[in-house]
Amino acid sequence: MAMPAAEMLDRMRAVVGDRAVLTDPADLEPHLTELRGLFRGKTPMLVRPASTEQVSAIVRLCWESGTPIVPQGGNTSLCGASIPFEEGEEIIVSLSRMNRVREIDPLNYTMTVEAGCVLQNIQQAADEVDRLFPLSLGAEGSCQIGGNLSTNAGGINTLRFGNARDLVLGLEVVLPDGRIWNGLRRLRKDNTGYDLKHLFVGAEGTLGIITAAALKIFPKPREEVTAMAAVSSLPGVIELLSRMRLATGDQVSAFEMMPRFGIEISVKHVPGVRDPFDQPYEHYALMRASAGRRNSGLRELVEETLAEAIEEGLVLDAVIAESEQQVKDLWRIREAIVEAQIPEGGSIKHDVAIPVSRVADFIEQANAVVEKTIPGARPCPFGHVGDGNIHYNVTQPVGMDRAEYLARWGELNDAVHRIVASMDGSISAEHGIGRLKREELAHYKSEVELDLMRTIKAALDPKGIMNPKKVVPEG
Ligand code: FAD
Ligand code: ZN
């Protein structure tokens, strides 16, 4: 740090108050590592501003002293983006005190919130005025909207409502030199040149700190139908999705796939999870369709489509939830897959997106490559097939040493990502690039694309203080 540490500390305290600057190792601990424990960082301090003006003053101080910053939301992105490096040079700016809903405008179908609002609280605030904020993901109880926007988060409703990028109308951002850009417009149409907000969406804090966002909200659905189907083949899962979309007039709001292995380990390891079918099947789809009014006929449409598919042999068995409890039980199976993998040993992850029509082909090719690379490894491809975002996780072979297996993470990633690239897919569909995939990104983007990324970074952050050495590969 260019400024002596003690002086920096004093000046930060003068901006946000003594209690909003953390230096005690015990207080810092949860902010230096992530759930997966891949990296462990160090920092001289964590600062907790309470207003945009305070963020601006903090960033200006860092700009003038050349002090690097890591913005941090809920710290759930798990690719090293939200924590500092081991050298301990960056200060962490946590947005968690900036958690006010500034405005809800039900008539305009918008709400304006501060960046540190926890996603679940935003959903609740919308619900209270009979509206829906559709972004929904496993980490919604702890991730923040600033983090969601900075990673362009998706989740189970992406199929119908798009990802974070599609849900934002305006942003307020503190730029790397401390200036505040107020782009909090709540307009559906604005054709006045470059759409600057989209630069900051998915930038993982490398271009500035998002302090507030104007978001779209939607009419709250009045009727929801949840169903789970056992499907006869992997391509059949995609065929069923397509048919459901057609039959319901695109009212499918979520469509998730699960393999037998996922169901098996969920039932085995997670209390309360039950297989809804009385015999095992290879492939499953869990879906939800939503309508704007009660007794809309949606349930009949879902029933008919499933019945036809059963007649043709596309679907082997199906259940439609009859009660709130059954809805919860079905979704519980899908959620349980995440934790059920842990007791099965090491798991090598691939967070990928493929064109929906190629998902089955991708999984078949990837499974073959896995078996060739590490015989006996157990693929657990599950997730948001509705938007082509598959969690292609691979659990270690039974009896293999965990560390020995995990040491092959890079090798397996390379092999699987090559298939992804051959299908014009993405090697990061949810968690971002951070530091985990930064070097790898250089292999999958063209020189032109990399050059554009570096140009944008240099233009907005010429001193390179904003989340340095993340996302944008070295030139
Ligand atoms: P953090 O992890 O704190 O930060 C993410 C990045 O954004 C970092 O680079 C950080 O520096 C930057 N950042 C944070 N706040 C700001 C800000 N205000 N301004 C500028 N930069 C900022 N993701 C999905 O997309 N879909 C899913 O379905 C999904 N499911 C998940 C399930 C579980 C159980 C877990 C643990 C994670 C899941 N994720 C999913 C990943 C993660 O929740 C998302 O990436 C989420 O958007 C991260 O938000 P966060 O507040 O935790 O951000
Ligand atoms: Zn996911």
Side-chain angles (χ1 to χ4, degrees), residues 367-378:
N367 286 354
V369 155
V370 165
E371 182 56 24
K372 210 169 120 209
T373 315
I374 309 179
R378 295 166 292 164

Side-chain angles (χ1 to χ4, degrees), residues 226-229 258 263 273-277 285-287 319-336:
T226 298
M228 184 162 156
M258 297 175 284
I263 307 273
V273 173
R274 250 181 11 91
D275 185 344
F277 301 108
L286 174 60
M287 67 207 84
V319 289
I320 299 185
E322 302 286 349
S323 66
E324 265 310 302
Q325 190 54 45
Q326 283 179 6
V327 171
K328 280 199 186 117
D329 289 347
L330 290 181
W331 279 101
R332 182 79 190 110
I333 306 173
R334 161 65 181 83
E335 286 150 15

Side-chain angles (χ1 to χ4, degrees), residues 34-35 70-78 80-83 95 115-116 136-140 142-156 200 203-206 208-211 334 338 384 389 391 429-432 434 467 470-471:
E34 306 160 323
L35 202 63
V70 180
Q72 193 176 82
N75 195 18
T76 67
S77 56
L78 314 182
S82 51
I83 56 171
L95 278 297
S136 173
L137 44 113
E140 64 196 20
S142 49
C143 63
Q144 300 173 5
I145 193 68
N148 299 145
L149 288 162
S150 299
T151 55
N152 188 26
I156 53 171
F200 301 95
E204 297 179 46
T206 59
I209 301 186
I210 297 172
T211 47
R334 161 65 181 83
V338 178
H384 324 292
N389 173 193
H391 297 294
E430 283 194 347
H431 292 265
N467 217 359
K470 310 272 174 67
V471 186

